[in-house]
Amino acid sequence: MSNRAYNKMWADTHEALHYLLQEELSSQDAKPLTDRVMIFQMLTSFYIKYVQIFRNVEELYEQIVHPQKRRIIHHVLEGVMGRILELKDEMVKLEFSEFHYYDDILQDLKLTPEALEIPIPRYFMKDKLKVMKERENILSRILSQSSIQVQKETGIKTLTLEEAIQIIQIAERARQGRLRAKFMLEIRMEEERQNLAKQRKASAMAPEMAATLIKKVWCGYIQRKITKKERAEEMIFLEMEPPPDFQKPSSTQLQAQKVYQQRQVVQEVHEVEYQQALVTIKEQVRSVEGPDIQETLQEQIRQWFIECRNITGKFPDYPDEEKGGSAAIFASKTPQEVLQELAAQEEKKKQKDKEKKEKKSGKDKKEKKKKKKGKADKEEEEEGWKMAESDFLPTVAEGHKTYEGVWQNRDERTNLSQKYVAELIKEDKRKEVEEEIRVQVDELMRQELKNLKIAVDRDKSTKRKGKKDGKKKKSKKEKKKKKKGKDLTANRTIDSLYEELVREGLLIKPKNIQLSDFKGEYNYLGTTLRQTDIEPMPSLLDVKQLITLYGILPLGSQTVHEKAPLVKSLLLAGPSGVGKKMLVHALCTETGANLFNLSSHNITGKYPGKTGLQMMIHLVFKVIMDHENHYLMVTIMFLCSSDDSVLW
């Protein structure tokens, strides 16, 4: 596909997203629902539509080469991922089950079960590729050193004289046995050879009989070969066996792979150019527009000083940096409005002081009772189910709004190579430069205001004392916060702790297994069985989907991990050999996570005693919580392992 085709796909995806956001807003404004079937159908329809959008957006993020478009797509992609997890959480709370079936809805939407498969974003591994290689090198180096030490320890073992004699006797008896067996085999083969020679002499066959026999054997061989070929063709026709060239990629696949690799190279080149442009354009804006911005800010602030002085008869207090400095002054407010707000804040402080001194009266109790009754009446009126507030819908709506405002109607006929747009960078960097200059201007204007107050107003000493007292109180609180527990490994580096955990076998190297290697089929009769009050057995594809939703997506995206419904641990239960550990290793491979094996049979005897257990837990959590070493980004702890269950 060309750039124009992917831009068309992007437009179609945002059009579908636009209608879906409207449906979501209308459902939130609607009255609470009481029919569980209608609620579940609404949630599942939203879920399926978001999954389809997710698949399209993930493909767009991989194929589009424009760096600024990719940032908006990434923003929408994280929002859609989080919204899918929120809808899944709503369905779990509604149905009290982790497994859901959408047979009837798929039929209504005319979709196949493959449309429900959650794709794993490929940028999860691309962004961590360098880190993964570095970590693999560190792990292989530590493991090779530990294996050399083990070989040295095992090779130095000394034997007693009796043990050495016994080993020699065993080896000699084995050698004699092999010679005897070889001799008996030669005798048997010689006897068979003699018997065959006698039979040939006894049965002298005529040429015609010999030719018939040869023809019979040859025709049988040919017919068996033809039958085997026809049977293989029949099995391929019935799709019971793959064709012989099934594993070989076709010419179209090879061409698609080549185009994909070329696009990845172009993405990297455009990204480098974009990062360089961010620096150069910011410097240009600072050098060209910086002095004008500084002058206008100073003039506006001085004008504000004069207006406040004319209205109140005194100079105002300059806002602190925590409140935004001069940005709080010009937040679309006039000087009179700013002064009214300051006066209102002072009145609120006085009222709070009075309320603390006064005792609680009976009127307050009556008001509380009235409030409780009002809340109870509201809860009675609002019985039923209503969609919970979403943390990701604003993210999706923001990305969609940015697309409509910036990219929907932009003419890109002159940008065929899909490089960055300098105008957009200037708009963003102009705001950054203005904020940086504003901080400098605030420092200058504070000093100027201070000089003006010294020259005009002489009674400001009491306020300064209050500020100093407040600072002293903060320092005491900070001292209290700084108190921490003892560090059992204060004199050791994180690298040494990491190496110790690898040597002890607690931090293991996951197997290179993709989640796509876990094969499974969709449960086509799930809805039908539930309608007859029969709970269907979850299929392997259902388990695979849950691993993607609850494991891979939160671990792969920091935004999704922070805002999505929290799932702290997963328990995989089933008989031996169904793929529980395989799923854990696949999850580590897809997210680039570290794997800690803290199962009971693995830690037995390694850190004995109570102090040893404390040391082990301290080592593990100190390594996990370290953020300076980038090869310790994501962590999975493998807590329990048996033939029936795996907890992680």
Side-chain angles (χ1 to χ4, degrees):
M1 293 175 68
S2 61
N3 292 327
R4 184 179 296 177
Y6 284 116
N7 288 332
K8 178 68 168 58
M9 182 180 176
W10 192 24
D12 295 341
T13 302
H14 272 278
E15 185 178 357
L17 186 61
H18 175 73
Y19 290 119
L20 187 56
L21 289 172
Q22 287 183 342
E23 290 181 13
E24 288 248 49
L25 292 174
S26 62
S27 65
Q28 289 178 356
D29 297 335
K31 294 181 180 179
L33 301 175
T34 56
D35 190 356
R36 292 174 63 88
V37 178
M38 287 182 63
I39 297 168
F40 183 74
Q41 287 183 349
M42 182 182 69
L43 288 173
T44 50
S45 64
F46 284 161
Y47 177 81
I48 293 170
K49 290 176 182 178
Y50 270 115
V51 170
Q52 290 179 299
I53 291 172
F54 178 38
R55 295 170 69 90
N56 292 338
V57 175
E58 196 275 332
E59 183 67 22
L60 287 169
Y61 184 73
E62 287 299 317
Q63 299 294 344
I64 285 181
V65 298
H66 198 293
Q68 290 160 308
K69 290 180 181 178
R70 294 184 78 243
R71 275 157 176 76
I72 297 172
I73 293 170
H74 184 268
H75 190 67
V76 175
L77 182 60
E78 289 190 334
V80 171
M81 279 193 288
R83 187 58 185 154
I84 289 171
L85 292 176
E86 287 178 341
L87 291 171
K88 182 68 177 179
D89 185 62
E90 290 287 337
M91 289 189 285
V92 170
K93 291 177 181 178
L94 182 69
E95 294 289 315
F96 303 104
S97 174
E98 301 286 348
F99 303 98
H100 306 102
Y101 305 98
Y102 322 99
D103 313 343
D104 50 349
I105 298 173
L106 286 175
Q107 290 178 359
D108 295 340
L109 297 175
K110 297 180 180 180
L111 297 173
T112 59
E114 286 76 14
L116 290 175
E117 189 173 354
I118 305 293
I120 299 172
R122 285 164 277 185
Y123 76 88
F124 284 178
M125 289 301 297
K126 285 183 183 177
D127 294 347
K128 303 171 186 175
L129 194 59
K130 293 181 180 178
V131 177
M132 290 288 294
K133 289 182 179 178
E134 183 180 349
R135 191 176 66 190
E136 285 181 4
N137 294 332
I138 293 170
L139 279 172
S140 59
R141 177 177 55 81
I142 296 171
L143 292 172
S144 63
Q145 290 177 358
S146 60
S147 63
I148 290 169
Q149 290 179 359
V150 170
Q151 288 176 3
K152 287 181 179 179
E153 291 175 0
T154 55
I156 300 171
K157 186 179 179 182
T158 57
L159 298 175
T160 62
L161 182 61
E162 294 177 354
E163 290 176 347
I165 292 171
Q166 188 177 4
I167 291 172
I168 293 170
Q169 287 177 349
I170 291 170
E172 180 62 23
R173 287 168 186 166
R175 187 185 68 82
Q176 291 178 3
R178 288 192 295 271
L179 289 173
R180 192 178 298 109
K182 185 178 178 182
F183 180 69
M184 294 302 295
L185 180 62
E186 290 176 354
I187 293 172
R188 193 179 301 111
M189 291 178 67
E190 184 64 26
E191 289 177 355
E192 290 178 358
R193 201 179 294 111
Q194 291 176 0
N195 292 331
L196 285 172
K198 290 179 182 179
Q199 289 177 4
R200 288 174 183 172
K201 289 180 181 179
S203 60
M205 188 179 294
E208 295 178 357
M209 290 291 293
T212 304
L213 185 60
I214 293 169
K215 184 179 178 182
K216 178 182 176 182
V217 173
W218 177 253
C219 290
Y221 168 75
I222 293 297
Q223 188 60 42
R224 284 191 298 273
K225 193 173 180 181
I226 293 170
T227 304
K228 186 178 180 180
K229 184 179 178 182
E230 290 177 351
R231 180 171 178 78
E233 291 176 353
E234 183 181 4
M235 296 297 285
I236 292 169
F237 176 75
L238 296 174
E239 295 185 355
M240 299 294 288
E241 288 184 0
D245 57 346
F246 180 74
Q247 300 295 337
K248 295 180 181 179
S250 62
S251 59
T252 54
Q253 289 177 337
L254 293 173
Q255 182 65 22
Q257 291 177 2
K258 185 178 179 181
V259 172
Y260 176 72
Q261 292 174 358
Q262 291 175 351
R263 283 185 172 275
Q264 299 303 309
V265 173
V266 174
Q267 280 182 4
E268 294 177 0
V269 172
H270 286 187
E271 182 66 25
V272 171
E273 293 176 353
Y274 177 71
Q275 294 296 335
Q276 292 174 354
L278 291 176
V279 178
T280 55
I281 292 175
K282 184 176 181 180
E283 291 177 355
Q284 290 176 3
V285 172
R286 189 193 302 276
S287 61
V288 175
E289 302 180 11
D292 295 336
I293 293 172
Q294 186 173 356
E295 288 180 6
T296 53
L297 286 174
Q298 288 177 346
E299 289 176 2
Q300 289 175 356
I301 294 170
R302 289 194 185 101
Q303 185 66 25
W304 180 67
F305 290 165
I306 295 168
E307 290 178 0
C308 290
R309 172 77 175 172
N310 294 334
I311 294 170
T312 61
K314 61 180 181 179
F315 289 109
D317 294 330
Y318 207 92
D320 298 332
E321 292 182 5
E322 297 175 354
K323 296 179 181 179
S326 59
I329 301 171
F330 303 106
S332 66
K333 296 176 184 176
T334 62
Q336 294 178 354
E337 291 176 350
V338 174
L339 291 171
Q340 289 175 1
E341 285 186 0
L342 294 172
Q345 289 177 1
E346 291 179 358
E347 289 180 1
K348 285 181 181 179
K349 288 180 181 178
K350 292 179 181 178
Q351 289 177 0
K352 286 181 180 178
D353 294 335
K354 290 180 181 179
E355 288 176 358
K356 288 180 181 178
K357 293 178 181 178
E358 293 177 356
K359 294 181 179 180
K360 293 182 179 179
S361 60
K363 293 180 180 180
D364 296 335
K365 294 180 181 179
K366 290 180 181 180
E367 288 177 359
K368 288 181 181 179
K369 289 181 181 179
K370 287 180 181 179
K371 287 180 181 179
K372 288 181 180 179
K373 287 181 181 179
K375 288 181 180 178
D377 295 335
K378 285 181 181 179
E379 288 177 358
E380 289 178 359
E381 290 176 0
E382 295 181 358
E383 285 183 355
W385 180 89
K386 199 167 185 179
M387 184 81 76
E389 292 185 3
S390 172
D391 293 329
F392 290 95
L393 268 180
T395 304
V396 178
E398 182 184 356
H400 179 64
K401 187 178 179 181
T402 305
Y403 166 77
E404 289 182 337
V406 178
W407 297 104
Q408 188 174 14
N409 299 320
R410 180 175 287 274
D411 187 7
E412 292 190 290
R413 286 178 291 184
T414 58
N415 190 12
L416 297 177
S417 60
Q418 292 292 293
K419 293 185 177 182
Y420 65 88
V421 180
E423 295 176 359
L424 299 177
I425 298 176
K426 278 185 180 179
E427 292 176 4
D428 295 335
K429 293 302 174 184
R430 189 177 288 113
K431 295 177 183 177
E432 292 182 11
V433 171
E434 185 176 350
E435 290 299 323
E436 292 175 2
I437 294 174
R438 187 184 295 278
V439 175
Q440 299 173 1
V441 170
D442 286 346
E443 293 178 0
L444 296 173
M445 299 310 293
R446 278 195 191 93
Q447 188 64 34
E448 186 174 336
L449 180 62
K450 187 177 179 181
N451 296 332
L452 289 171
K453 286 182 177 181
I454 290 171
V456 179
D457 302 326
R458 301 286 182 178
D459 53 347
K460 300 295 181 179
S461 59
T462 55
K463 291 185 179 180
R464 292 175 188 170
K465 291 181 180 178
K467 289 180 181 178
K468 290 179 181 177
D469 294 336
K471 289 180 181 177
K472 289 180 181 178
K473 290 179 182 178
K474 285 182 181 178
S475 63
K476 289 179 181 178
K477 289 181 181 179
E478 288 174 358
K479 288 180 180 178
K480 289 181 181 179
K481 289 180 181 178
K482 286 180 181 178
K483 292 182 179 178
K484 294 182 180 179
K486 293 181 180 179
D487 190 355
L488 300 176
T489 56
N491 298 326
R492 297 181 60 183
T493 61
I494 295 296
D495 293 335
S496 65
L497 302 181
Y498 186 84
E499 186 173 349
E500 181 179 343
L501 291 174
V502 174
R503 291 182 187 280
E504 293 294 336
L506 300 183
L507 199 157
I508 61 177
K509 185 177 181 180
K511 298 177 182 177
N512 189 13
I513 299 172
Q514 303 293 329
L515 192 64
S516 58
D517 298 335
F518 188 81
K519 305 297 182 184
E521 193 55 62
Y522 182 75
N523 193 342
Y524 296 95
L525 297 175
T527 305
T528 307
L529 292 174
R530 279 193 172 177
Q531 288 174 354
T532 57
D533 296 332
I534 299 173
E535 184 63 26
M537 283 293 293
S539 65
L540 295 178
L541 186 63
D542 296 328
V543 177
K544 182 179 174 182
Q545 292 284 78
L546 289 181
I547 294 296
T548 306
L549 289 171
Y550 292 157
I552 294 176
L553 296 186
L555 288 177
S557 173
Q558 185 67 24
T559 304
V560 175
H561 180 71
E562 291 173 355
K563 295 183 180 180
L566 182 62
V567 177
K568 292 185 177 180
S569 61
L570 297 176
L571 174 65
L572 303 179
S576 178
V578 296
K580 301 185 292 296
K581 293 180 183 177
M582 178 184 178
L583 287 173
V584 175
H585 287 281
L587 195 148
C588 293
T589 303
E590 297 289 356
T591 58
N594 291 285
L595 182 59
F596 288 86
N597 188 355
L598 302 183
S599 55
S600 57
H601 71 275
N602 189 42
I603 64 175
T604 302
K606 293 182 178 178
Y607 290 91
K610 187 177 180 180
T611 57
L613 182 62
Q614 290 177 352
M615 176 59 74
M616 183 192 72
I617 295 172
H618 171 75
L619 289 174
V620 171
F621 279 95
K622 187 172 181 180
V623 169
I624 291 171
M625 298 303 292
D626 181 69
H627 298 288
E628 293 180 359
N629 292 327
H630 53 273
Y631 54 85
L632 300 173
M633 292 187 300
V634 186
T635 301
I636 295 174
M637 284 192 288
F638 191 27
L639 299 176
C640 156
S641 174
S642 65
D643 291 338
D644 298 328
S645 62
V646 172
L647 175 65
W648 52 274

PDB file of all heavy atoms in Angstrom, residues 135-155:
ATOM      1  N   ARG A 135      20.631  -6.699  27.601  1.00  0.00           N
ATOM      2  CA  ARG A 135      20.315  -7.606  28.710  1.00  0.00           C
ATOM      3  C   ARG A 135      20.679  -9.043  28.375  1.00  0.00           C
ATOM      4  O   ARG A 135      21.162  -9.799  29.229  1.00  0.00           O
ATOM      5  CB  ARG A 135      18.832  -7.503  29.058  1.00  0.00           C
ATOM      6  CG  ARG A 135      18.466  -8.195  30.359  1.00  0.00           C
ATOM      7  CD  ARG A 135      17.026  -7.975  30.702  1.00  0.00           C
ATOM      8  NE  ARG A 135      16.158  -8.617  29.727  1.00  0.00           N
ATOM      9  CZ  ARG A 135      14.846  -8.433  29.657  1.00  0.00           C
ATOM     10  NH1 ARG A 135      14.264  -7.599  30.485  1.00  0.00           N
ATOM     11  NH2 ARG A 135      14.122  -9.048  28.752  1.00  0.00           N
ATOM     12  N   GLU A 136      20.443  -9.450  27.133  1.00  0.00           N
ATOM     13  CA  GLU A 136      20.828 -10.806  26.725  1.00  0.00           C
ATOM     14  C   GLU A 136      22.334 -11.002  26.821  1.00  0.00           C
ATOM     15  O   GLU A 136      22.801 -12.066  27.259  1.00  0.00           O
ATOM     16  CB  GLU A 136      20.345 -11.061  25.294  1.00  0.00           C
ATOM     17  CG  GLU A 136      18.848 -11.307  25.190  1.00  0.00           C
ATOM     18  CD  GLU A 136      18.417 -11.579  23.766  1.00  0.00           C
ATOM     19  OE1 GLU A 136      19.318 -11.648  22.889  1.00  0.00           O
ATOM     20  OE2 GLU A 136      17.207 -11.703  23.524  1.00  0.00           O
ATOM     21  N   ASN A 137      23.082  -9.977  26.431  1.00  0.00           N
ATOM     22  CA  ASN A 137      24.545 -10.084  26.543  1.00  0.00           C
ATOM     23  C   ASN A 137      24.985 -10.207  27.998  1.00  0.00           C
ATOM     24  O   ASN A 137      25.873 -11.008  28.328  1.00  0.00           O
ATOM     25  CB  ASN A 137      25.205  -8.861  25.896  1.00  0.00           C
ATOM     26  CG  ASN A 137      24.982  -8.808  24.402  1.00  0.00           C
ATOM     27  OD1 ASN A 137      24.817  -9.846  23.758  1.00  0.00           O
ATOM     28  ND2 ASN A 137      24.968  -7.617  23.833  1.00  0.00           N
ATOM     29  N   ILE A 138      24.354  -9.426  28.870  1.00  0.00           N
ATOM     30  CA  ILE A 138      24.709  -9.489  30.295  1.00  0.00           C
ATOM     31  C   ILE A 138      24.361 -10.859  30.870  1.00  0.00           C
ATOM     32  O   ILE A 138      25.157 -11.474  31.599  1.00  0.00           O
ATOM     33  CB  ILE A 138      23.986  -8.365  31.068  1.00  0.00           C
ATOM     34  CG1 ILE A 138      24.525  -7.006  30.630  1.00  0.00           C
ATOM     35  CG2 ILE A 138      24.160  -8.534  32.568  1.00  0.00           C
ATOM     36  CD1 ILE A 138      23.727  -5.833  31.153  1.00  0.00           C
ATOM     37  N   LEU A 139      23.149 -11.355  30.541  1.00  0.00           N
ATOM     38  CA  LEU A 139      22.729 -12.666  31.049  1.00  0.00           C
ATOM     39  C   LEU A 139      23.631 -13.782  30.538  1.00  0.00           C
ATOM     40  O   LEU A 139      24.039 -14.669  31.302  1.00  0.00           O
ATOM     41  CB  LEU A 139      21.278 -12.939  30.638  1.00  0.00           C
ATOM     42  CG  LEU A 139      20.188 -12.295  31.495  1.00  0.00           C
ATOM     43  CD1 LEU A 139      18.830 -12.486  30.843  1.00  0.00           C
ATOM     44  CD2 LEU A 139      20.171 -12.883  32.889  1.00  0.00           C
ATOM     45  N   SER A 140      23.966 -13.762  29.236  1.00  0.00           N
ATOM     46  CA  SER A 140      24.820 -14.812  28.675  1.00  0.00           C
ATOM     47  C   SER A 140      26.219 -14.758  29.286  1.00  0.00           C
ATOM     48  O   SER A 140      26.827 -15.808  29.554  1.00  0.00           O
ATOM     49  CB  SER A 140      24.900 -14.659  27.154  1.00  0.00           C
ATOM     50  OG  SER A 140      25.430 -13.388  26.807  1.00  0.00           O
ATOM     51  N   ARG A 141      26.723 -13.544  29.545  1.00  0.00           N
ATOM     52  CA  ARG A 141      28.056 -13.422  30.161  1.00  0.00           C
ATOM     53  C   ARG A 141      28.053 -14.001  31.573  1.00  0.00           C
ATOM     54  O   ARG A 141      28.954 -14.767  31.952  1.00  0.00           O
ATOM     55  CB  ARG A 141      28.474 -11.951  30.195  1.00  0.00           C
ATOM     56  CG  ARG A 141      29.811 -11.704  30.874  1.00  0.00           C
ATOM     57  CD  ARG A 141      30.201 -10.239  30.807  1.00  0.00           C
ATOM     58  NE  ARG A 141      29.182  -9.373  31.357  1.00  0.00           N
ATOM     59  CZ  ARG A 141      29.017  -9.141  32.669  1.00  0.00           C
ATOM     60  NH1 ARG A 141      29.794  -9.752  33.555  1.00  0.00           N
ATOM     61  NH2 ARG A 141      28.080  -8.317  33.089  1.00  0.00           N
ATOM     62  N   ILE A 142      27.011 -13.661  32.364  1.00  0.00           N
ATOM     63  CA  ILE A 142      26.949 -14.162  33.741  1.00  0.00           C
ATOM     64  C   ILE A 142      26.765 -15.669  33.760  1.00  0.00           C
ATOM     65  O   ILE A 142      27.407 -16.393  34.540  1.00  0.00           O
ATOM     66  CB  ILE A 142      25.810 -13.455  34.502  1.00  0.00           C
ATOM     67  CG1 ILE A 142      26.097 -11.957  34.613  1.00  0.00           C
ATOM     68  CG2 ILE A 142      25.631 -14.055  35.888  1.00  0.00           C
ATOM     69  CD1 ILE A 142      24.934 -11.147  35.153  1.00  0.00           C
ATOM     70  N   LEU A 143      25.891 -16.176  32.879  1.00  0.00           N
ATOM     71  CA  LEU A 143      25.639 -17.616  32.851  1.00  0.00           C
ATOM     72  C   LEU A 143      26.864 -18.395  32.379  1.00  0.00           C
ATOM     73  O   LEU A 143      27.150 -19.481  32.881  1.00  0.00           O
ATOM     74  CB  LEU A 143      24.441 -17.915  31.938  1.00  0.00           C
ATOM     75  CG  LEU A 143      23.081 -17.424  32.456  1.00  0.00           C
ATOM     76  CD1 LEU A 143      22.017 -17.612  31.385  1.00  0.00           C
ATOM     77  CD2 LEU A 143      22.683 -18.169  33.715  1.00  0.00           C
ATOM     78  N   SER A 144      27.604 -17.840  31.407  1.00  0.00           N
ATOM     79  CA  SER A 144      28.816 -18.525  30.941  1.00  0.00           C
ATOM     80  C   SER A 144      29.870 -18.567  32.037  1.00  0.00           C
ATOM     81  O   SER A 144      30.542 -19.582  32.232  1.00  0.00           O
ATOM     82  CB  SER A 144      29.371 -17.812  29.706  1.00  0.00           C
ATOM     83  OG  SER A 144      29.754 -16.481  30.028  1.00  0.00           O
ATOM     84  N   GLN A 145      30.016 -17.474  32.791  1.00  0.00           N
ATOM     85  CA  GLN A 145      30.976 -17.472  33.891  1.00  0.00           C
ATOM     86  C   GLN A 145      30.590 -18.460  34.978  1.00  0.00           C
ATOM     87  O   GLN A 145      31.428 -19.188  35.504  1.00  0.00           O
ATOM     88  CB  GLN A 145      31.072 -16.062  34.488  1.00  0.00           C
ATOM     89  CG  GLN A 145      31.753 -15.049  33.575  1.00  0.00           C
ATOM     90  CD  GLN A 145      31.751 -13.654  34.168  1.00  0.00           C
ATOM     91  OE1 GLN A 145      31.205 -13.441  35.255  1.00  0.00           O
ATOM     92  NE2 GLN A 145      32.358 -12.710  33.463  1.00  0.00           N
ATOM     93  N   SER A 146      29.295 -18.524  35.281  1.00  0.00           N
ATOM     94  CA  SER A 146      28.852 -19.461  36.316  1.00  0.00           C
ATOM     95  C   SER A 146      29.004 -20.902  35.860  1.00  0.00           C
ATOM     96  O   SER A 146      29.365 -21.782  36.639  1.00  0.00           O
ATOM     97  CB  SER A 146      27.393 -19.178  36.680  1.00  0.00           C
ATOM     98  OG  SER A 146      26.561 -19.332  35.535  1.00  0.00           O
ATOM     99  N   SER A 147      28.780 -21.187  34.542  1.00  0.00           N
ATOM    100  CA  SER A 147      28.946 -22.561  34.039  1.00  0.00           C
ATOM    101  C   SER A 147      30.410 -22.981  34.060  1.00  0.00           C
ATOM    102  O   SER A 147      30.742 -24.133  34.356  1.00  0.00           O
ATOM    103  CB  SER A 147      28.394 -22.661  32.619  1.00  0.00           C
ATOM    104  OG  SER A 147      29.134 -21.825  31.734  1.00  0.00           O
ATOM    105  N   ILE A 148      31.328 -22.039  33.776  1.00  0.00           N
ATOM    106  CA  ILE A 148      32.765 -22.364  33.843  1.00  0.00           C
ATOM    107  C   ILE A 148      33.171 -22.707  35.273  1.00  0.00           C
ATOM    108  O   ILE A 148      33.913 -23.658  35.519  1.00  0.00           O
ATOM    109  CB  ILE A 148      33.588 -21.168  33.313  1.00  0.00           C
ATOM    110  CG1 ILE A 148      33.391 -21.030  31.802  1.00  0.00           C
ATOM    111  CG2 ILE A 148      35.071 -21.343  33.629  1.00  0.00           C
ATOM    112  CD1 ILE A 148      33.947 -19.745  31.228  1.00  0.00           C
ATOM    113  N   GLN A 149      32.641 -21.957  36.228  1.00  0.00           N
ATOM    114  CA  GLN A 149      32.963 -22.246  37.618  1.00  0.00           C
ATOM    115  C   GLN A 149      32.418 -23.598  38.042  1.00  0.00           C
ATOM    116  O   GLN A 149      33.076 -24.348  38.755  1.00  0.00           O
ATOM    117  CB  GLN A 149      32.389 -21.145  38.515  1.00  0.00           C
ATOM    118  CG  GLN A 149      33.105 -19.801  38.367  1.00  0.00           C
ATOM    119  CD  GLN A 149      32.507 -18.742  39.247  1.00  0.00           C
ATOM    120  OE1 GLN A 149      31.540 -19.006  39.961  1.00  0.00           O
ATOM    121  NE2 GLN A 149      33.082 -17.548  39.206  1.00  0.00           N
ATOM    122  N   VAL A 150      31.203 -23.939  37.578  1.00  0.00           N
ATOM    123  CA  VAL A 150      30.620 -25.240  37.923  1.00  0.00           C
ATOM    124  C   VAL A 150      31.441 -26.367  37.325  1.00  0.00           C
ATOM    125  O   VAL A 150      31.694 -27.396  37.963  1.00  0.00           O
ATOM    126  CB  VAL A 150      29.150 -25.302  37.431  1.00  0.00           C
ATOM    127  CG1 VAL A 150      28.606 -26.718  37.569  1.00  0.00           C
ATOM    128  CG2 VAL A 150      28.303 -24.330  38.229  1.00  0.00           C
ATOM    129  N   GLN A 151      31.907 -26.186  36.067  1.00  0.00           N
ATOM    130  CA  GLN A 151      32.735 -27.219  35.440  1.00  0.00           C
ATOM    131  C   GLN A 151      34.043 -27.403  36.192  1.00  0.00           C
ATOM    132  O   GLN A 151      34.525 -28.519  36.382  1.00  0.00           O
ATOM    133  CB  GLN A 151      33.022 -26.833  33.986  1.00  0.00           C
ATOM    134  CG  GLN A 151      31.818 -26.958  33.078  1.00  0.00           C
ATOM    135  CD  GLN A 151      32.111 -26.478  31.671  1.00  0.00           C
ATOM    136  OE1 GLN A 151      33.246 -26.105  31.375  1.00  0.00           O
ATOM    137  NE2 GLN A 151      31.095 -26.489  30.823  1.00  0.00           N
ATOM    138  N   LYS A 152      34.650 -26.298  36.656  1.00  0.00           N
ATOM    139  CA  LYS A 152      35.893 -26.413  37.419  1.00  0.00           C
ATOM    140  C   LYS A 152      35.657 -27.145  38.730  1.00  0.00           C
ATOM    141  O   LYS A 152      36.440 -27.995  39.147  1.00  0.00           O
ATOM    142  CB  LYS A 152      36.455 -25.019  37.693  1.00  0.00           C
ATOM    143  CG  LYS A 152      37.056 -24.346  36.465  1.00  0.00           C
ATOM    144  CD  LYS A 152      37.606 -22.975  36.818  1.00  0.00           C
ATOM    145  CE  LYS A 152      38.223 -22.313  35.589  1.00  0.00           C
ATOM    146  NZ  LYS A 152      38.732 -20.958  35.916  1.00  0.00           N
ATOM    147  N   GLU A 153      34.536 -26.838  39.389  1.00  0.00           N
ATOM    148  CA  GLU A 153      34.253 -27.485  40.664  1.00  0.00           C
ATOM    149  C   GLU A 153      33.998 -28.972  40.486  1.00  0.00           C
ATOM    150  O   GLU A 153      34.445 -29.800  41.282  1.00  0.00           O
ATOM    151  CB  GLU A 153      33.044 -26.814  41.318  1.00  0.00           C
ATOM    152  CG  GLU A 153      33.340 -25.390  41.789  1.00  0.00           C
ATOM    153  CD  GLU A 153      32.101 -24.709  42.320  1.00  0.00           C
ATOM    154  OE1 GLU A 153      31.031 -25.369  42.298  1.00  0.00           O
ATOM    155  OE2 GLU A 153      32.185 -23.547  42.750  1.00  0.00           O
ATOM    156  N   THR A 154      33.272 -29.347  39.428  1.00  0.00           N
ATOM    157  CA  THR A 154      32.968 -30.758  39.211  1.00  0.00           C
ATOM    158  C   THR A 154      34.172 -31.525  38.666  1.00  0.00           C
ATOM    159  O   THR A 154      34.302 -32.724  38.883  1.00  0.00           O
ATOM    160  CB  THR A 154      31.789 -30.889  38.222  1.00  0.00           C
ATOM    161  OG1 THR A 154      32.115 -30.181  37.023  1.00  0.00           O
ATOM    162  CG2 THR A 154      30.523 -30.303  38.828  1.00  0.00           C
ATOM    163  N   GLY A 155      35.104 -30.883  37.948  1.00  0.00           N
ATOM    164  CA  GLY A 155      36.242 -31.577  37.338  1.00  0.00           C
ATOM    165  C   GLY A 155      37.348 -31.914  38.323  1.00  0.00           C
ATOM    166  O   GLY A 155      38.217 -32.735  38.032  1.00  0.00           O
TER     167      GLY A 155
END
